């Protein structure tokens, strides 16, 4: 209303990611829900921030806690901000052709495995800087351009999996450090 932009907060330990303050507040409420109510709450909020489009979410639980979310086959998905701060081990976002930003990954300090495939509109990877990922798969993210300098500080340790293919506009792996 009145053209005023929603306030934003910088996510901790993640450069370049901005998530609206209302999403940060909502995420705090989400985290107080019983485990069986978290996924329905995420689906509801994802529909809300994506203009009411149907969102397919496949969760996996381990020892009573949410372990993995698979958001594959959501071609109209544009916004994943409701995932902000979620404690997940694995996330798959495959086939989200309209997804431009992964700012919603900010604060996901337990994320170890990330798959971004066929996210043709994705332009920025900086929200994953500082994450302790052991596996990163980037396939057919055609709007990623130049080099991977946005990932400066991203560290791949021995035994880590880094897979990249079909991102034909990337010209260099500069920015990655292998230890």
């Amino acid at each position: 209303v009145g053209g005023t932009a929603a306030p934003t907060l910088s996510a901790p330990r993640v450069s370049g990611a901005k998530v609206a303050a209302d999403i940060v507040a909502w995420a705090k409420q989400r985290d107080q829900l019983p485990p069986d109510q978290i996924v329905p709450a995420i689906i509801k909020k994802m529909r809300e921030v994506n203009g009411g489009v149907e969102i397919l979410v496949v969760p996996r639980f381990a020892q009573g806690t949410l372990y993995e979310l698979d958001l594959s086959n959501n071609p109209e998905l544009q916004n994943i901000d409701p995932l902000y701060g979620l404690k997940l081990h694995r996330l798959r976002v495959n086939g989200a052709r309209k997804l431009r930003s992964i700012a919603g990954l900010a604060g996901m300090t337990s994320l170890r495995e990330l798959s971004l495939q066929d996210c043709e509109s994705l332009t920025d990877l900086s929200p994953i800087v500082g994450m302790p990922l052991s596996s990163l798969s980037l396939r057919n993210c055609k709007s990623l351009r130049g080099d991977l300098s946005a990932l400066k500080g991203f560290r791949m340790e021995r035994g880590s999996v880094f897979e990249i293919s079909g991102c034909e506009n990337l010209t260099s792996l500069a920015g990655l450090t292998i230890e």
Side-chain angles (χ1 to χ4, degrees):
V1 180
T4 304
T8 58
L9 297 177
S10 293
R13 298 176 14 143
V14 180
S15 73
K18 302 281 186 193
V19 177
D22 63 328
I23 293 290
V24 174
W26 176 84
K28 288 179 183 176
Q29 294 173 349
R30 174 204 63 210
D31 293 345
Q32 301 304 311
L33 293 173
D36 64 329
Q37 293 179 20
I38 291 175
V39 173
I42 291 170
I43 293 170
K44 181 179 178 186
K45 192 66 168 179
M46 293 280 273
R47 284 183 185 145
E48 179 184 313
V49 301
N50 283 283
V53 299
E54 201 61 33
I55 303 292
L56 175 65
V57 178
V58 179
R60 289 198 177 85
F61 292 85
Q63 300 175 349
T65 60
L66 188 58
Y67 179 82
E68 174 184 351
L69 277 183
D70 189 337
L71 297 172
S72 297
N73 304 313
N74 288 295
E76 301 299 313
L77 183 68
Q78 297 178 39
N79 184 324
I80 60 170
D81 286 357
L83 300 181
Y84 175 83
L86 194 61
K87 292 176 180 29
L88 285 179
H89 180 83
R90 181 180 301 140
L91 177 64
R92 292 188 177 115
V93 184
N94 302 334
R97 288 176 168 71
K98 294 184 178 182
L99 182 67
R100 291 179 185 248
S101 169
I102 55 172
L105 300 185
M108 294 180 78
T109 58
S110 60
L111 191 65
R112 299 294 182 263
E113 299 175 32
L114 177 61
S115 174
L116 299 167
Q117 297 181 21
D118 300 310
C119 298
E120 296 172 358
S121 299
L122 183 63
T123 60
D124 181 25
L125 294 174
S126 64
I128 66 173
V129 172
M131 287 187 175
L133 295 174
S134 60
S135 174
L136 175 61
S137 176
L138 300 171
R139 289 188 188 172
N140 300 317
C141 297
K142 297 176 182 183
S143 293
L144 291 175
R145 299 197 184 295
D147 61 26
L148 291 178
S149 59
L151 295 182
K152 187 174 183 178
F154 182 78
R155 299 193 184 283
M156 298 296 293
E157 298 176 2
R158 291 197 194 282
S160 296
V161 176
F162 180 67
E163 178 181 19
I164 185 168
S165 68
C167 303
E168 62 254 9
N169 292 313
L170 287 177
T171 56
S172 168
L173 296 179
L176 292 180
T177 302
I178 300 175
E179 294 185 351

